[in-house]
């Protein structure tokens, strides 16, 4: 029905189509819905992905702003499927089924892998992000290697991975060839019409001849000729028709060959739509003309509609990209984390760990499931992304100014890195409640606010965490919500005294300057909360409203940011040379004047360990607030003269906004940075 609107401009059914596409997105916005997840296969999920990809490419009306967007949903499907790429058998590939208890788990088939290839290629073209193209090449090469695509460009159904895919099921289905054809056409377009992909498009198109045995009329040869097509198979011809037509917009030289098949097929299908009491019910066997074959159903109607309307392709516009008029918003990290959360960590009581700290790393790696070459941490409690791969250690403090000591460790996902070099401001909000609930701080009975004094051992700085307690335990409910964080989290953190001597370098301005020039760009290097470097978006020749997925696709920008960050590490004394710059510090962010919301006082996109954050980490927000009060800094020059809150700086970020405050003494030394935060215990 997206195609129906695309070809005809008829908006009659658009509301129902939008409702249908959004109804099954699931809690992670990746079409793995609780009501269907146990039976959803990779192919089932992928069909949702390519449907919303079509919505993005064809500029089907975008959903309301608060709803998931078409491009982000397609990316969510891709990300979850890329994580399932299985190298334990057959050298790679996706299984037909996701779960071991479903029949077909041991089958690696063409449709699951073909749709993954199709989606990757289309995402590459739409976003310009070469990572998607690399996955497309990888999946194509694998299908060729196991002979699911042969030298004649015939596409076969699948292979049993218990036999290491040594024997191929040579059934041929229309939709397998169609999925690969459109994917190859997108790669042809993405690679600026490379001869290799042109040959593959041509070969696949010629390979579809098997489905047009007589009079150029499409036949589902694997089942139709013997009368054994099941419910799913009734619709397969629709996909081949759809994707053949779409191919002509990307590889125009295919138009005549495609229409030579779709034209006669459409005429035959229209004749076959002569059955039932209404004389409009469509059958499956188009070659029978107006002699209705007696079959009926959604699949038959769908196939007939698609092949007929595909004949309108010449008058339809070509698929857009994000640089040629596409409006759908993306999220390159979609499907990889639970929405509206910043961080999650495993918290250990210091008394439960060995006194010899050198013995800690193996324990932490084992608990989180690292290293995992697949990046999923399935053998532990990690979540496959940096914000979910964290450890905190809490115990009584010997320091008279602190109630508890808190140590933070960032755990590598694919490697064995255990990084103690910086603090995590997000997880700091959980330390006070943990200390209270575990009896490290006596707060008495009743309902009241308490303050827990925390010393962060990574930085040597002190944090005062204030929150509500009920009957001796941290309150587990409340009304405070933070943009970008899970709204059930309720603890409020403020008065985080980070001190003016710097978290790692001992100085607020480690280089001794408010502004340095790094790689030809003006930058403020500051150490408050964590060492950070701030540059102005305009100096990077971009808008400050750029989103993370757009940054991912902007390879020159990524390279420039990394170069500046490494030079800043040397200038700040964090590393002896650029090559040895730590992965977690300094953090780099771009700032600009508020543009998308009248109340915002600044906008940032933060880059950490090569991944663009969906929201501003607390320690970065603190540093921004501090820099905003430094005359002449790159941040101070972008702060709006009209403050949202007179007590702090309100920062706009990809997930919303956050207010932080900074207090200085009469000499301009930073005394304190303040921020509200939330936390919730998930389990013991």
């Amino acid at each position: 029905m997206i195609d129906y609107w695309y070809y005809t401009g008829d908006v009659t059914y658009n509301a129902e189509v939008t409702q249908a596409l959004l109804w099954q997105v699931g809690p992670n916005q990746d079409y793995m819905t609780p009501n269907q997840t146990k039976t959803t296969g990779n192919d089932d999920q992928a069909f949702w992905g390519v449907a919303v990809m079509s919505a993005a490419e064809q500029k089907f009306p975008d959903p309301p702003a608060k709803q998931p967007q078409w491009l982000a949903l397609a990316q969510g499907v891709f990300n979850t499927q890329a994580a399932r790429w299985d190298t334990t058998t057959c050298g790679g590939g996706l299984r037909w089924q996701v779960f071991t208890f479903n029949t077909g788990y041991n089958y690696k088939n063409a449709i699951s892998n073909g749709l993954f290839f199709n989606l990757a290629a289309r995402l590459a073209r739409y976003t310009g992000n070469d990572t998607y193209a690399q996955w497309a090449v990888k999946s194509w090469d694998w299908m060729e290697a196991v002979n699911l695509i042969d030298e004649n460009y015939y596409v076969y159904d699948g292979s049993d991975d218990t036999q290491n895919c040594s024997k191929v099921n040579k059934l041929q289905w229309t939709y397998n060839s169609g999925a690969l054809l459109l994917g190859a056409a997108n790669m042809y377009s993405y690679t600026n019409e490379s001869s290799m992909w042109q040959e593959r498009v041509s070969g696949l198109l010629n390979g579809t001849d098997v489905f047009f045995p007589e009079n150029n009329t499409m036949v589902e040869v694997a089942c139709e000729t013997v009368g054994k097509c099941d419910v799913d198979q009734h619709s397969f011809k629709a996909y081949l028709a759809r994707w053949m037509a779409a191919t002509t917009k990307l590889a125009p030289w295919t138009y005549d060959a495609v229409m030579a098949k779709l034209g006669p097929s459409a005429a035959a299908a229209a004749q076959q739509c002569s059955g039932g009491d209404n004389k409009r019910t469509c059958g499956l066997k188009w070659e029978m003309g107006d002699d209705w074959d007696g079959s009926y159903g959604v699949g038959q109607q769908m196939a007939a509609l698609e092949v007929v309307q595909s004949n309108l392709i010449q008058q339809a516009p070509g698929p857009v990209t994000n640089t040629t008029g596409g409006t759908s918003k993306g999220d390159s990290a979609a499907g990889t984390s639970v929405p509206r959360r910043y961080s999650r960590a495993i918290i250990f009581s210091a008394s439960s760990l060995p006194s010899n700290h050198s013995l800690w790393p193996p324990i932490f790696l084992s608990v989180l499931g690292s290293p995992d070459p697949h990046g999923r941490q399935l053998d532990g409690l990690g979540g496959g992304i940096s914000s979910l791969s964290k450890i905190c250690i809490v115990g009584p403090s010997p320091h008279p100014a602190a109630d508890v000591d808190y140590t933070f460790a960032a755990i590598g996902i694919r490697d064995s890195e255990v990084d103690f070099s910086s603090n995590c401001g997000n997880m700091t909000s959980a330390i006070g409640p943990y200390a209270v609930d575990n009896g490290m701080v006596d707060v008495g009975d009743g309902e009241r606010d308490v303050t827990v004094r925390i010393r962060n051992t990574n930085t040597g700085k002190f944090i005062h965490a204030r929150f509500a307690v009920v009957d001796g335990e941290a309150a587990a409910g409340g009304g405070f919500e933070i943009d970008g964080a899970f709204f059930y989290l309720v603890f409020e953190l403020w008065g985080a005294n980070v001190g003016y001597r710097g978290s790692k370098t001992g100085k607020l301005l480690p280089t001794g300057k408010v502004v340095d020039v790094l790689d030809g760009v003006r930058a403020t290097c500051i150490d408050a909360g964590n060492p950070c470097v701030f540059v102005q978006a305009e100096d990077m020749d971009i808008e400050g409203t750029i989103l993370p997925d757009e940054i991912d696709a902007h390879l020159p920008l990524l390279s420039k940011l990394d170069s500046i960050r490494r030079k800043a590490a040397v200038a700040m004394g964090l590393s002896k040379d650029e090559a040895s710059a730590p992965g977690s510090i300094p953090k780099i962010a771009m700032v600009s004047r508020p543009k998308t919301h009248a109340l915002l006082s600044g906008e940032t996109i933060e880059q950490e360990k090569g991944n663009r954050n969906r929201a501003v980490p607390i320690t970065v927000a603190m540093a921004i607030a501090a820099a905003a009060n430094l005359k002449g800094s790159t941040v101070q020059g972008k702060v709006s003269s009209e403050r949202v809150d007179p007590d702090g700086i309100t920062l706009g970020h990809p997930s919303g906004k956050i207010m932080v405050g900074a207090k200085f003494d009469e000499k301009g030394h930073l005394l304190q940075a303040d921020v509200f935060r939330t936390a919730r215990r998930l389990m013991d």
Side-chain angles (χ1 to χ4, degrees):
M1 296 306 293
I2 296 172
D3 279 355
Y4 172 77
W5 166 83
Y6 169 63
Y7 286 125
T8 68
D10 184 354
V11 301
T12 301
Y13 307 105
N14 281 11
E16 289 79 7
V17 173
T18 298
Q19 181 186 33
L21 289 172
L22 296 178
W23 186 256
Q24 290 290 98
V25 298
N28 285 345
Q29 299 180 5
D30 57 6
Y31 289 105
M32 293 297 291
T33 56
N35 63 328
Q36 295 290 331
T37 293
K38 288 185 177 180
T39 57
T40 297
N42 278 310
D43 57 339
D44 302 319
Q45 183 192 21
F47 271 114
W48 286 106
V50 296
V52 289
M53 193 70 233
S54 291
E57 293 167 335
Q58 295 172 7
K59 296 185 70 174
F60 187 75
D62 292 327
K66 292 185 178 181
Q67 294 286 341
Q69 302 299 299
W70 306 137
L71 178 59
L73 288 168
Q75 290 170 312
V77 171
F78 171 85
N79 288 337
T80 57
Q81 296 211 333
R84 296 185 195 130
W85 186 263
D86 174 38
T87 58
T88 61
T89 61
C90 308
L94 288 175
R95 298 175 181 273
W96 178 17
Q97 297 298 321
V98 176
F99 301 105
T100 58
F101 48 76
N102 285 330
T103 301
Y105 177 76
N106 292 320
Y107 196 56
K108 293 190 173 181
N109 61 349
I111 192 57
S112 295
N113 289 280
L115 288 174
F116 180 68
F117 164 73
N118 178 301
L119 184 58
R122 293 164 73 178
L123 283 169
R125 180 181 177 274
Y126 190 98
T127 67
N129 187 339
D130 196 57
T131 298
Y132 296 122
Q134 292 171 22
W135 271 105
V137 171
K138 183 177 183 177
S139 54
W140 175 280
D141 289 348
W142 178 82
M143 292 183 73
E144 272 196 332
V146 297
N147 206 36
L148 293 186
I149 307 169
D150 75 3
E151 66 277 6
N152 296 313
Y153 292 96
Y154 292 148
V155 184
Y156 300 124
D157 188 62
S159 190
D160 188 342
D161 82 332
T162 63
Q163 300 179 32
N164 204 35
C165 298
S166 59
K167 295 182 180 180
V168 173
N169 177 353
K170 292 197 172 183
L171 283 177
Q172 295 183 67
W173 301 99
T174 51
Y175 72 163
N176 287 333
S177 293
L180 288 171
L181 177 63
L182 182 58
N186 273 270
M187 290 302 293
Y188 169 72
S189 174
Y190 177 77
T191 57
N192 296 316
E193 303 181 354
S194 76
S195 58
M196 179 180 71
W197 286 106
Q198 181 175 3
E199 178 185 340
R200 290 171 174 176
V201 171
S202 180
L204 287 164
L205 184 56
N206 291 336
T208 65
D209 286 349
V210 69
F211 305 116
F212 299 85
E214 294 182 15
N215 303 318
N216 275 336
T217 299
M218 194 187 307
V219 176
E220 195 64 65
V221 293
C223 66
E224 190 177 320
T225 56
V226 293
K228 292 187 176 181
C229 296
D230 65 22
V231 172
D232 288 346
Q233 292 156 4
H234 291 160
S235 68
F236 287 1
K237 291 194 288 188
Y239 304 115
L240 178 56
R242 174 183 303 158
W243 292 329
M244 287 179 73
T247 292
T248 68
K249 307 304 288 188
L250 301 166
W253 46 270
T254 64
Y255 179 80
D256 289 342
V258 167
M259 298 316 296
K261 292 179 168 67
L262 294 187
S265 293
Q271 285 185 307
Q272 184 60 197
C273 294
S274 59
D277 294 338
N278 60 10
K279 302 301 181 183
R280 294 194 302 272
T281 298
C282 301
L284 182 66
K285 296 181 179 180
W286 299 343
E287 72 277 9
M288 292 178 62
D290 59 6
D291 183 13
W292 181 47
D293 67 4
S295 70
Y296 60 91
V298 173
Q300 291 92 326
Q301 298 294 125
M302 178 177 160
L305 172 63
E306 193 64 56
V307 74
V308 169
Q309 65 188 17
S310 290
N311 280 263
L312 300 174
I313 189 64
Q314 191 170 34
Q315 69 189 44
V320 299
T321 70
N322 62 5
T323 60
T324 61
T327 60
S328 189
K329 300 297 183 182
D331 179 359
S332 60
T336 62
S337 64
V338 178
R340 296 183 64 78
R341 284 191 180 133
Y342 275 125
S343 297
R344 187 182 72 207
I346 307 299
I347 303 180
F348 286 91
S349 171
S351 62
S352 68
L353 293 170
S355 57
N356 183 350
H357 291 192
S358 66
L359 300 177
W360 289 4
I363 297 172
F364 300 158
L365 290 165
S366 177
V367 167
L368 288 177
S370 296
D372 182 347
H374 304 295
R376 300 177 67 188
Q377 294 179 307
L378 292 181
D379 195 32
L381 297 175
I385 57 175
S386 60
S387 60
L388 304 181
S389 189
K390 300 182 176 186
I391 294 287
C392 301
I393 306 97
V394 184
S397 177
H399 197 287
D403 298 310
V404 293
D405 278 354
Y406 149 56
T407 302
F408 171 73
I411 309 302
I413 297 170
R414 295 178 184 271
D415 56 39
S416 298
E417 181 182 14
V418 178
D419 184 358
F420 293 99
S421 66
S422 63
N423 181 24
C424 174
N426 293 318
M427 290 314 307
T428 301
S429 62
I431 303 308
Y434 177 87
V436 168
D437 289 352
N438 286 272
M440 297 178 187
V441 179
D442 184 10
V443 296
D445 297 326
E447 296 185 20
R448 61 191 181 92
D449 285 353
V450 300
T451 298
V452 175
R453 303 171 303 164
I454 303 166
R455 180 177 67 160
N456 175 241
T457 63
N458 305 80
T459 62
K461 301 306 174 185
F462 294 86
I463 302 146
H464 289 181
R466 185 179 175 186
F467 51 92
V469 296
V470 178
D471 295 331
E473 294 185 349
F480 185 54
E481 177 179 351
I482 299 174
D483 289 321
F486 192 54
F487 69 89
Y488 293 116
L489 309 185
V490 295
F491 302 105
E492 300 177 358
L493 170 69
W494 64 87
N497 186 350
V498 298
Y500 66 82
R501 296 180 60 187
S503 65
K504 294 293 291 185
T505 66
K507 300 177 182 178
L508 179 65
L509 297 173
T511 69
K513 303 176 184 177
V514 174
V515 173
D516 293 272
V517 177
L518 303 172
D519 208 5
V521 177
R522 296 174 67 254
T524 292
C525 299
I526 191 168
D527 185 4
N530 264 322
C532 296
V533 54
F534 301 126
V535 298
Q536 294 183 352
E538 63 188 45
D539 290 339
M540 305 302 293
D541 295 324
I542 60 154
E543 292 289 331
T545 53
I546 189 172
L547 294 174
D549 60 295
E550 296 171 312
I551 295 178
D552 286 336
H554 200 320
L555 298 184
L557 175 62
L558 292 178
S559 177
K560 186 76 168 180
L561 288 172
D562 184 61
S563 175
I564 294 171
R565 194 189 73 82
R566 291 179 180 276
K567 286 179 170 59
V570 176
M572 297 170 79
L574 297 170
S575 63
K576 61 182 180 180
D577 53 46
E578 294 180 28
S580 60
S584 59
I585 53 174
K587 302 180 186 298
I588 186 167
M590 296 178 287
V591 297
S592 73
R593 290 190 180 278
K595 295 181 181 179
T596 60
H597 194 292
L599 298 180
L600 297 182
S601 298
E603 297 169 357
T604 69
I605 299 290
E606 200 264 342
Q607 181 186 18
E608 179 180 5
K609 290 191 175 181
N611 296 316
R612 268 54 62 203
N613 274 23
R614 323 312 294 172
V616 177
I618 282 184
T619 52
V620 176
M622 289 178 176
I624 291 173
N629 284 279
L630 290 175
K631 185 177 181 180
S633 75
T634 56
V635 178
Q636 193 266 343
K638 296 300 179 183
V639 177
S640 172
S641 59
E642 297 182 6
R643 298 286 182 93
V644 176
D645 190 314
D647 294 326
I649 301 294
T650 302
L651 310 173
H653 58 82
S655 296
K657 60 183 182 292
I658 184 174
M659 196 279 282
V660 294
K663 296 180 181 179
F664 293 78
D665 65 14
E666 65 279 2
K667 296 181 179 180
H669 294 150
L670 177 66
L671 296 177
Q672 179 175 298
D674 306 318
V675 65
F676 289 90
R677 212 67 188 143
T678 61
R680 182 169 73 99
R681 180 189 295 259
L682 298 178
M683 61 177 289
D684 284 316

